[in-house]
Amino acid sequence: MFRGVLLLHRRRILLPILFVCLADGLVGVSYGASAVSSGFELWLPLSLSILVLAGASEFIFIAILSGGGSPFAGAFAGLLVNSRHLPFGVSIRQTIPDGMRGVLACHLMNDESVAFALAHKNRRLSHYAFWFCGFGILLLWPLGVLLGGLIGSSIEDPAQFGLDVMFPAVLVALTLPALKQQKLLIPASFGAAAAVIAAPFAVAGLAPLAGLLGLCVRKSGIEEKTHAE
Amino acid sequence: MLNDTYLTLAGILLLAAGTYGFRYAGPRLGKQVWLTAARQQMFSDASLLLLFSVAVLATVYESGEYAGHARLAGIVVAVILCLARAPFLAVITLAAGATALLRLLGVQ
């Protein structure tokens, strides 16, 4: 555990992880505050943040509820959003141990922790990055929601400080080098363009999956791309 | 009203259980024998493509509407810094800084 912290620190990943967790915590504060101020009781966003622990799907669930939709429609849309965890799990399987620790590790899977894991080829580095980011978000995301719900609407608009750019910027900064290295920039751009075009028409929660269309223009030659540890 | 609360709770539990199911199934699926190196590579590529399209969607849209020029400009800054191999924290903070500055100047 301590060795992991040291390794992450030496490779200059510890601070980025802490920063990302903190930024997520702040987003949690504004999410908790806005959920409560739009009429939901605090237990709702709080239990979502602990049990679901995947921001995008929680937002869509709450948005559908506040639009008068049924909780089951909300859950369905949220599940469409979260279906991406399936390929995530396949690609980071080496980081998920068997047994009880694996049961917890699965819950730590989210966009950020997976992006950190995929950004590093070294297996140990990728392992520790996943666990620390996952744990940090497990702690700070619900804590942020709780704080936001208690403080309520008295907090300032986080967009003023550009906080809303953090999440996409983090994902871009973590995936771009890997995409470039794996020669996936063109498929990724194609997929993202498809997702942006599809978003206004797609069923709630479906749009990100359109990014998979990029796989169609991917060169399947894996010889040079196969991971060397 | 109480009935509503139970329904909402059921929705939350359904979402939580299903999400955990996706999270649990992935690593198990990845350890199966039929998953050749090529297929595993495809799943890794798929994950990267998904994360990237999530990033782009979060850049362009805010609850179904265009999120505005300021956020888009922030991400353009992030992409440029990233391609110039700037350190991670510089990329993130300067992207947020650019967006905040633009909003301060009245760009939405």
Side-chain angles (χ1 to χ4, degrees):
Chain A
M1 160 91 182
F2 183 68
R3 283 219 321 264
V5 177
L6 218 65
L7 178 72
L8 290 175
H9 176 68
R10 265 209 314 275
R11 303 292 292 267
R12 296 172 192 279
I13 309 172
L14 189 61
L15 214 57
I17 290 179
L18 290 176
F19 192 84
V20 167
C21 294
L22 208 64
D24 275 357
L26 287 174
V27 173
V29 172
S30 85
Y31 158 47
S34 74
V36 168
S37 65
S38 55
F40 292 106
E41 286 177 67
L42 180 55
W43 67 265
L44 197 148
L46 193 60
S47 56
L48 282 171
S49 71
I50 296 168
L51 297 173
V52 179
L53 194 62
S57 65
E58 298 174 36
F59 299 155
I60 214 165
F61 183 83
I62 288 206
I64 287 176
L65 244 61
S66 63
S70 95
F72 295 105
F76 180 75
L79 284 174
L80 267 180
V81 171
N82 286 341
S83 61
R84 62 175 178 257
H85 288 87
L86 186 77
F88 284 174
V90 176
S91 43
I92 62 156
R93 66 197 170 278
Q94 283 159 341
T95 304
I96 311 288
D98 295 320
M100 277 317 285
R101 282 177 62 216
V103 171
L104 172 66
C106 287
H107 193 53
L108 300 185
M109 226 182 267
N110 55 51
D111 292 333
E112 290 90 340
S113 65
V114 170
F116 267 110
L118 290 178
H120 302 287
K121 283 237 175 125
N122 178 301
R123 200 189 286 189
R124 280 182 60 218
L125 209 58
S126 152
H127 176 86
Y128 285 124
F130 172 81
W131 275 89
F132 276 90
C133 184
F135 251 119
I137 291 176
L138 175 70
L139 288 178
L140 286 175
W141 179 245
L143 196 67
V145 173
L146 179 65
L147 269 178
L150 294 177
I151 302 168
S153 48
S154 61
I155 57 161
E156 301 219 27
D157 179 16
Q160 197 185 325
F161 307 105
L163 195 70
D164 55 322
V165 185
M166 293 276 192
F167 173 68
V170 164
L171 290 187
V172 162
L174 289 173
T175 55
L176 259 190
L179 287 170
K180 206 168 140 190
Q181 200 182 5
Q182 311 260 348
K183 301 194 169 67
L184 286 172
L185 280 178
I186 292 168
S189 312
F190 181 79
V196 167
I197 294 167
F201 315 104
V203 180
L206 193 66
L209 296 179
L212 289 175
L213 287 174
L215 285 176
C216 304
V217 296
R218 181 187 68 133
K219 289 197 186 70
S220 51
I222 58 147
E223 303 81 42
E224 49 183 339
K225 290 203 307 192
T226 323
H227 284 239
E229 289 297 333
Chain B
M1 223 32 228
L2 194 66
N3 207 5
D4 270 9
T5 307
Y6 282 130
L7 269 182
T8 306
L9 200 60
I12 292 175
L13 291 178
L14 180 67
L15 176 57
T19 300
Y20 190 81
F22 284 129
R23 285 173 167 145
Y24 187 83
R28 268 88 205 152
L29 195 67
K31 286 167 184 162
Q32 301 295 313
V33 271
W34 59 268
L35 217 58
T36 59
R39 287 179 186 148
Q40 293 189 352
Q41 183 65 48
M42 191 198 71
F43 274 103
S44 299
D45 290 357
S47 299
L48 282 173
L49 294 191
L50 282 167
L51 285 171
F52 189 73
S53 66
V54 167
V56 172
L57 284 171
T59 302
V60 178
Y61 296 107
E62 176 66 51
S63 31
E65 309 274 324
Y66 175 52
H69 303 322
R71 191 188 293 181
L72 200 60
I75 291 300
V76 171
V77 168
V79 169
I80 292 169
L81 287 172
C82 205
L83 293 177
R85 294 170 173 268
F88 180 85
L89 287 181
V91 175
I92 308 306
T93 46
L94 289 173
T99 300
L101 185 67
L102 282 174
R103 289 196 177 126
L104 199 65
L105 297 173
V107 181
Q108 278 313 310

